[in-house]
């Protein structure tokens, strides 16, 4: 066991040192924000640093990443504004020169003249004119004219609305704010089209793909992509060999003939957790309704079957609420599970535990309702920019809620860590065979509380590369890292209490599993940052270690088989059929959604062309819901299974389980993946801006594929309905059954408790 712990500590320490090192490089080498941008020939000031920074705040206030994307990060209906700006700027300048020199448009010229003008464009656009002494960027007269043309075009889009982009009329009407927004969009395009000093690639490593300015994939992206694939194959081979050789070496354990949990009596705090499951079910239902509205905007722009919905609930709001509620209900499910199982870990009911659970419940309601209302007010421009930052819409996908609500949630997580952690510490002090399992559980619980604070590490005027760096600490490390460790250990603990896994085996397996996926997962955070104004180190380390994230997922087939065999091992295990079925689904989607579809977009050579296309949506849906959503649902029903004393004869769970899985497969196969493939081909052959253009997204073929998504969505929605129906019905039964808590057996020790209800 000592060697396993040394391996775990070494992996975590070295991984964070590497991640922090790249973070310091991001701070030091990020694209500069100039004090002013001037026209070289006239010295006219085009915009200032304040314009750019305030423009970023304006962009955040209208929904930010929920209205198109910047540097590939964001939503999919509107264009990527960086790629769109660069392409429009390039076309304007080429046509302007062609008209002046040859009295025709650029496309009408012969190849020799085109090549001459293109070479002039590349020199103008890609030459870095940032002066470190006076911190100014100098642009040509032609580029200034292109700036004014683009500024007028985008001002029209955001003030008058754009149906195909799902941007409502009057999204932004203040002329000064529109100028500032354009200043920010110009800066993001400048960083993506201007070479770093003394380098032949841009601040975003030549992203996006734009042939007109010779933005093509860099050798670094190609080399590290190949290296990542080689490492992937190597470590899959090593891990499979290790698994096959060692997986049968755990302690032999005879499965009990009766359910060890059937005499389990529950304490007051566990009943207090039940109300979470009702609210979570309602949040799931609301999230799906918002998802239906959001996806419908992709086919009808600003309407819902003819009704002008965008004036009340614009796309930026429905998508914000859809993604944010997913994070809320999944995280709430896992946190509620920790609170429910805590007394089973310690063997006692801690003082003020019920009060803490009720306090957190009220806090959850306030945070959910408050953040949703604040985002609506922010997007509708009822808040000034600073107030919007704290109480409205921060503008960053999965971190949209205002800073005040983030702080409120952070305080709640600290309380949760204390409430669950003290039970785990009490269990560790028993110093029995479960000690090592509980230590890794305590580490994961503390990390869940600590790493949420990474989302507070940037300020209102922090630059985009810095914000994205910390954002992915939260979205990737908090969720995909330490919540995953928590989930692994919780499942091991449940199987331990059911006496189908020994404490020694559970401890070793949990620590080893955490070591394996954190080895890739911590540094693998950087795969989100290849083209976000980050140095080449992000590509090298991100590509290498994100490939290792996929390695443990290749063994999910073994986990599916073992869980299936577990169901058949004893007759009483059928009582836990549906929780185990959901755990089997988690393993399947881990392999397909996180593994296959995740690696589809992980290598730099892939992400360069398909970042922010529907291929990303494929991974997002199959990993976020398929893995974390299914796991949350599994946790809910296993807690209800422990609490409920009646047989589950209802077909509701059967319908829910199969509709959820079949519906998710259908929406991917019939719609998301085909659209993503069409976009990927367009991005590779023509340029990234064409893959996000309305002409492609509203073409007959793509529109048909969008409508086909209804098949999967309807099936999936039926599954959600039946799951929520079952959960609410069973939770109310548990409330009503009037069980009196008697002498409770925990780890062979008797605990005297009072009546809970």
């Amino acid at each position: 066991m000592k060697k396993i712990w040394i391996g775990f500590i070494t992996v975590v320490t070295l991984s964070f040192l590497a991640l922090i090192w790249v973070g310091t490089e991001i701070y030091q080498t990020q694209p500069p924000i100039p004090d002013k941008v001037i026209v070289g020939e006239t010295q006219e000031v085009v915009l200032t640093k304040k314009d750019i920074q305030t423009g970023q705040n304006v962009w955040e206030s209208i929904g930010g990443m929920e209205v198109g994307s910047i540097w590939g990060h964001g939503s999919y209906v509107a264009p990527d504004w960086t790629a769109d700006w660069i392409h429009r700027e390039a076309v304007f300048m080429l046509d302007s020169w062609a008209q002046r020199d040859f009295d025709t448009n650029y496309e009408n010229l012969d190849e020799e003249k085109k090549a001459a003008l293109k070479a002039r464009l590349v020199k103008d656009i890609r030459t870095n004119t940032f002066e470190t002494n006076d911190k100014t960027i100098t642009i040509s007269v032609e580029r200034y004219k292109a700036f004014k043309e683009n500024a007028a075009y985008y001002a029209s889009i955001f003030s008058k609305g754009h149906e195909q982009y799902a941007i409502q009329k009057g999204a932004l009407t203040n002329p000064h704010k529109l100028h500032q927004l354009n200043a920010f969009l110009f800066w993001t395009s400048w960083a993506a089209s201007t070479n770093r000093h003394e380098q032949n690639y841009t601040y975003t490593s030549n992203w996006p793909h734009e042939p007109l300015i010779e933005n093509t994939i860099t050798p670094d992206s190609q080399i590290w992509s190949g290296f990542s694939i080689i490492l992937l194959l190597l470590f899959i081979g090593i891990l499979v060999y290790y698994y096959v050789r060692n997986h049968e070496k755990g302690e032999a354990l005879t499965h009990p003939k009766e359910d060890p949990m059937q005499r389990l009596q529950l304490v007051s705090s566990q009943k207090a957790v039940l109300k979470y499951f009702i609210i979570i079910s309602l949040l799931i239902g609301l999230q799906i309704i918002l998802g239906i509205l959001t996806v419908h905007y992709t086919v009808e722009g600003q309407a819902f079957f003819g009704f002008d919905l965008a004036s009340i609930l614009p796309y930026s709001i429905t998508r914000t609420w859809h993604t944010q509620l997913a994070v809320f209900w999944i995280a709430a499910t896992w946190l509620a599970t920790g609170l429910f199982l805590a007394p089973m870990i310690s063997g006692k009911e801690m003082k003020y535990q019920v009060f803490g659970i009720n306090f957190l419940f009220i806090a959850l309601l306030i945070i959910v309702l408050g953040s949703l209302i604040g985002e609506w007010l922010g997007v509708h421009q009822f808040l000034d920019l600073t107030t919007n930052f704290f109480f409205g819409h921060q503008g960053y996908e999965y971190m949209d809620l205002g800073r005040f609500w983030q702080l409120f949630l952070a305080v709640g997580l600290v309380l949760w860590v204390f409430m669950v952690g003290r039970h785990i510490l009490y269990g560790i002090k028993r110093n029995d065979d479960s000690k090592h399992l509980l230590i890794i559980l305590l580490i994961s619980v503390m990390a869940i509380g600590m790493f949420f604070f990474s989302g507070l590490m940037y300020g209102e005027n922090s630059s985009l590369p810095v914000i994205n760096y910390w954002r992915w600490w939260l979205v990737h490390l908090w969720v995909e890292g330490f919540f995953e460790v928590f989930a692994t250990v919780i499942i091991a603990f449940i199987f331990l209490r059911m006496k189908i896994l020994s404490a020694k085996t559970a401890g070793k397996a949990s620590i080893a599993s955490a070591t394996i996926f954190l080895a890739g997962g911590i540094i693998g955070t950087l795969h989100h940052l290849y083209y976000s104004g980050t140095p080449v180190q992000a590509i090298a380390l991100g590509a290498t270690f994100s490939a290792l994230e996929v390695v443990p997922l290749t063994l999910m087939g073994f986990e599916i088989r073992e869980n299936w065999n577990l169901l058949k091992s004893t007759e009483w295990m059928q009582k836990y059929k549906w929780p185990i079925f959901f755990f089997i689904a988690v393993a399947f989607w881990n392999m397909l959604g996180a593994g296959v579809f995740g690696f589809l977009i992980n290598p730099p050579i892939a992400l360069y062309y398909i970042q922010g296309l529907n291929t990303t949506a494929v991974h997002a849906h199959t990993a976020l819901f398929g893995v974390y959503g299914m796991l949350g649902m599994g946790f809910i029903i296993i807690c209800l299974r422990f609490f409920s004393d009646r047989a589950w004869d209802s077909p509701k769970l059967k319908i829910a389980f199969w509709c959820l899985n079949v519906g998710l497969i259908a929406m991917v196969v019939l719609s998301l993946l085909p659209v993503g493939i069409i976009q990927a081909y367009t991005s590779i052959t023509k340029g990234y801006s064409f893959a996000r253009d309305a002409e492609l997204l509203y073409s007959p073929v793509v529109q048909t594929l969008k409508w086909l998504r209804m098949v999967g969505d309807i099936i999936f929605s039926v599954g959600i309905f039946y799951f929520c129906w079952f959960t609410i019905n069973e939770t109310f039964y548990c409330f009503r059954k009037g069980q009196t808590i008697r002498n409770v057996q925990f780890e062979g020790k008797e605990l005297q408790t009072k009546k809970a209800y």
Side-chain angles (χ1 to χ4, degrees), residues 317 321 367-378 383 391-392 405:
I317 283 294
W321 289 354
I367 291 168
V368 171
L369 293 174
S371 62
L372 297 184
I373 293 170
E375 286 154 354
W376 189 90
L377 292 172
L383 308 176
F391 295 97
W405 307 112

Side-chain angles (χ1 to χ4, degrees), residues 58-93:
V58 172
W59 168 74
E60 293 163 355
S61 75
I62 62 174
M65 290 181 178
E66 309 298 353
V67 187
S69 58
I70 296 288
W71 294 346
H73 294 274
S75 59
Y76 316 118
V77 178
D80 180 89
W81 304 114
T82 305
D84 196 60
W85 183 291
I86 290 173
H87 184 74
R88 289 180 180 279
E89 180 181 63
V91 169
F92 178 88
M93 293 174 70

